[in-house]
Each structure stands twice: as structure tokens, then as C-alpha cells.
Amino acid sequence: MTVKRVLILADPPEKLVPPGDTTLRLVAEGLRRRIRFWHADHGDLEVANGRPEVLCRAFGLTKTGFPRLSSSHRRKRLAEFDVVLFRKDPPFDLSYLHATRIVELDSEPIVINSPAGLRKANEKLYALNFPEAMPPTLVTADRDRALAFLAEQKRLVAKPLDSFGGIGVVLLRYRDRGARALLDLMTAEGNSAALFQKYVSGVDKRVFVIDGKVEGVMIRCGVKNDFRANMHVGGQPVLSCLTRTEQRRLKPVLEKLIQDGILFAGLDLIGGFLSEVNVTSPTGFWHYQHVSGIDLSERFWDTVERLMHRRKAPDGGGR
């Protein structure tokens, strides 16, 4: 059973830039397999008399790999697609939430990642399901509690709960005169929770997970003037693998991803500890292929076609 029609719910096409964009890598491999793609934003989803629909445009690529969309929109039923692929960057806001609710009204297409799974898996908070795999971590809007945690740990990495790509992430040091002001900024003066995590030195790894299986691992080497190693801020990839300790720590994570319908995820490890679980639009395929020679988009679509075959079989299950 082959995939023929795919709807991608993604950021505006002008934000998708080759060669590094993973969404474009998935489209390129899909086009090679003669899959037809359509593009829409969350706001293009509709429900007419209980039937989910979408206002979308045909989606292809130019010879240089940039997005090429048809000039006119078409209204299509979600049931016309084999696969609906969520690929919009965080934040997981009300628009994202409503999109998951609308998409799950139709049981026909395979949805990646599952709407229920996306609602469960805040990219900063989902990892808290596995405290034994993480560094000491505190989520709070209370500046004084965060200050006490900083005094205990000496150095903290502070993260907004709804950002991505290292945006808004800061390093806090005990006795730094600016720490109190930074905590006020991170928590909107006590009105918004942020994540505070013990600073762990060591290797920063991105782990690519497809259908509960680790398909690739790469180190992200940071730049000299930045403690972050995200590709978004200039990190450079190096081929790697998991240590035995990392494998042990990630085993329950992989099992839960399957349980929650998360087919495709990017796990971030720092110093062997789990830092984040990226599920809305995991990236890094191009960087991984650059250092490994392996195109993970091939494995992605192979997996999706196996899922389709499983669903269409007489004794196949649901989503």
C-alpha cells in the first residue's frame, strides 16, 4: 500500500528554506515516490456539518529545492488524504490546539504526529515524565523559588515553555548580579512559568526517533561565543551514537512515544541526560545526511507506508 496524497500543515512557505529544512527534505523524497502534496496553515482548516475540510494549495519544489505552491486554493475533505502531517513550529498555541481537534474528527488519514500525542507532548514538559533520565529540573513562575534553586545548583539553563531552536534560552550563574532581573524576564514577573534546569556540561546530541526506533544520532557542536549548540544558532553536526547509559535512559521514552502516537520525534541529550522531546516539527535531517550519508526521509516514508499497509489489511488496527 503506497502513500498517494499528503496534506502538510506547516509554516508559511517563505519560512521553509533549503537545504536544511526537514519539511522540504520530506517533500523531496515524497515527490520522488510520486506522492502528491498539499500545503495549508492551521487557520485553513474548517468543519462543515461535522465534516473536516481544508483550504489548501498543491505543494511542489523548484529545481533549487524551494517551495512551489499553486496560485489557487482548493477546498478538500480531510478524508481525501492518506496522511496529514503536522509540521508547524512551536508555540503550541490555541490555533495549534484547535487544529488538532479538527483533524481528529476524521479517522481516515494517518495523522503524524497524532493529535492527542501533540496535546500531551509539550516539548519542554514532556521530558518531565522521565525524571530519572533528566538533570535536576524545576518548572515555576516563582522567582524566589527559582533563585533558591539557582543557589543550590550554582548554574542553571532557563527556558521558556513555548519556544524552539534555542530561542529565549539563557544561562544563569549564582551570584550574577543580573540573575534576579533575568528571572523576572523569564517568568514575566511571576505570571508565567519557565523551566530551570541544572547546567550540564558535555556532549549535546540530537537523537532521531521514527516509530519508536532510534534511526540516527548526531552531536551538535556549539560555537565559541554561545553555550547553546542548536543548529538554529549555528551548531555544527558530527556523526555519533548512543552510549549504553543513554540507551538505558531512553528505553522508557521510546516506549511512551509509541503509546502516545508520536511517530516522529527528535530527542535532545546533554551530557547523557534527556533535555527535550521535540514533536511538533523535529528538524536535522539534512544535517544528519551531511555527516552520515543516510537520508532519514527515506526511512520516514518507508515507515508511513508500512503503517498504511497495516491499517488497510483486513485485520488492521486504527490510528
Side-chain angles (χ1 to χ4, degrees):
M1 183 64 64
T2 58
V3 179
K4 295 180 180 179
R5 298 169 296 276
V6 174
L7 172 67
I8 297 183
L9 298 170
D11 292 297
E14 59 270 18
K15 291 188 176 182
L16 309 178
V17 180
D21 189 273
T22 296
T23 298
L24 297 182
R25 302 297 299 175
L26 292 171
V27 171
E29 173 59 21
L31 291 172
R32 190 186 69 81
R33 299 178 183 224
R34 300 185 182 276
I35 298 174
R36 297 179 64 190
F37 289 91
W38 284 262
H39 173 279
D41 200 342
H42 292 166
D44 297 316
L45 290 165
E46 303 174 342
V47 183
N49 298 316
R51 186 177 71 180
E53 299 177 344
V54 63
L55 200 61
C56 55
R57 291 192 287 172
F59 186 7
L61 300 177
T62 67
K63 291 181 179 180
T64 54
F66 282 87
R68 180 177 60 199
L69 276 70
S70 62
S71 58
S72 59
H73 290 77
R74 292 184 60 186
R75 182 171 282 102
K76 301 175 75 70
R77 293 179 294 110
L78 288 193
E80 296 179 47
F81 298 100
D82 299 313
V83 176
V84 175
L85 187 57
F86 277 101
R87 287 292 304 169
K88 192 173 177 68
D89 285 338
F92 190 93
D93 53 15
L94 277 177
S95 173
Y96 217 127
L97 175 64
H98 296 331
T100 66
R101 296 292 189 193
I102 291 174
V103 167
E104 70 183 352
L105 290 172
D106 199 313
S107 61
E108 282 297 316
I110 293 173
V111 183
I112 304 169
N113 286 310
S114 83
L118 288 171
R119 290 193 294 270
K120 287 182 180 179
N122 175 284
E123 303 195 330
K124 302 298 186 292
L125 300 180
Y126 190 74
L128 298 175
N129 287 292
F130 316 99
E132 68 286 348
M134 298 182 67
T137 301
L138 172 70
V139 177
T140 185
D142 186 327
R143 182 192 65 187
D144 291 336
R145 186 166 188 195
L147 277 171
F149 190 54
L150 176 59
E152 176 186 332
Q153 302 297 335
K154 306 308 180 187
R155 287 194 293 177
L156 295 177
V157 175
K159 304 178 182 181
L161 297 183
D162 59 357
S163 68
F164 68 101
I167 298 171
V169 177
V170 298
L171 179 63
L172 300 172
R173 294 179 174 86
Y174 183 55
R175 298 191 185 281
D176 188 331
R177 292 181 63 186
R180 187 180 294 267
L182 281 172
L183 287 171
D184 281 339
L185 181 65
M186 295 297 298
T187 63
E189 298 187 339
N191 292 301
S192 180
L195 183 144
F196 303 94
Q197 194 166 77
K198 178 181 179 179
Y199 175 80
V200 177
S201 61
V203 173
D204 183 316
K205 293 181 180 180
R206 165 56 61 93
V207 182
F208 300 98
V209 178
I210 300 175
D211 199 21
K213 180 182 177 183
V214 174
E215 294 287 0
V217 182
M218 68 182 183
I219 293 172
R220 300 182 297 185
C221 297
V223 294
K224 290 183 179 180
N225 61 348
D226 199 329
F227 77 97
R228 301 169 298 173
N230 308 71
M231 296 302 171
H232 186 79
V233 296
Q236 295 299 310
V238 176
L239 188 62
S240 186
C241 61
L242 294 178
T243 66
R244 289 184 179 180
T245 299
E246 290 167 343
Q247 291 174 4
R248 174 176 52 81
R249 286 175 176 162
L250 292 187
K251 183 179 179 181
V253 182
L254 301 178
E255 292 171 352
K256 185 163 177 58
L257 288 172
I258 293 176
Q259 293 171 7
D260 290 342
I262 304 298
L263 181 94
F264 177 28
L267 312 183
D268 291 342
L269 304 178
I270 298 180
F273 291 96
L274 179 65
S275 173
E276 292 184 17
V277 180
N278 301 279
V279 302
T280 53
S281 58
T283 61
F285 274 17
W286 179 81
H287 301 88
Y288 183 74
Q289 183 175 3
H290 182 69
V291 295
S292 71
I294 297 172
D295 187 353
L296 292 179
S297 60
E298 295 181 4
R299 299 188 181 183
F300 177 88
W301 289 118
D302 287 345
T303 301
V304 174
E305 291 186 350
R306 285 197 300 271
L307 290 176
M308 275 198 64
H309 180 75
R310 196 181 308 161
R311 287 188 63 184
K312 298 298 183 180
D315 59 346
R319 200 181 287 169

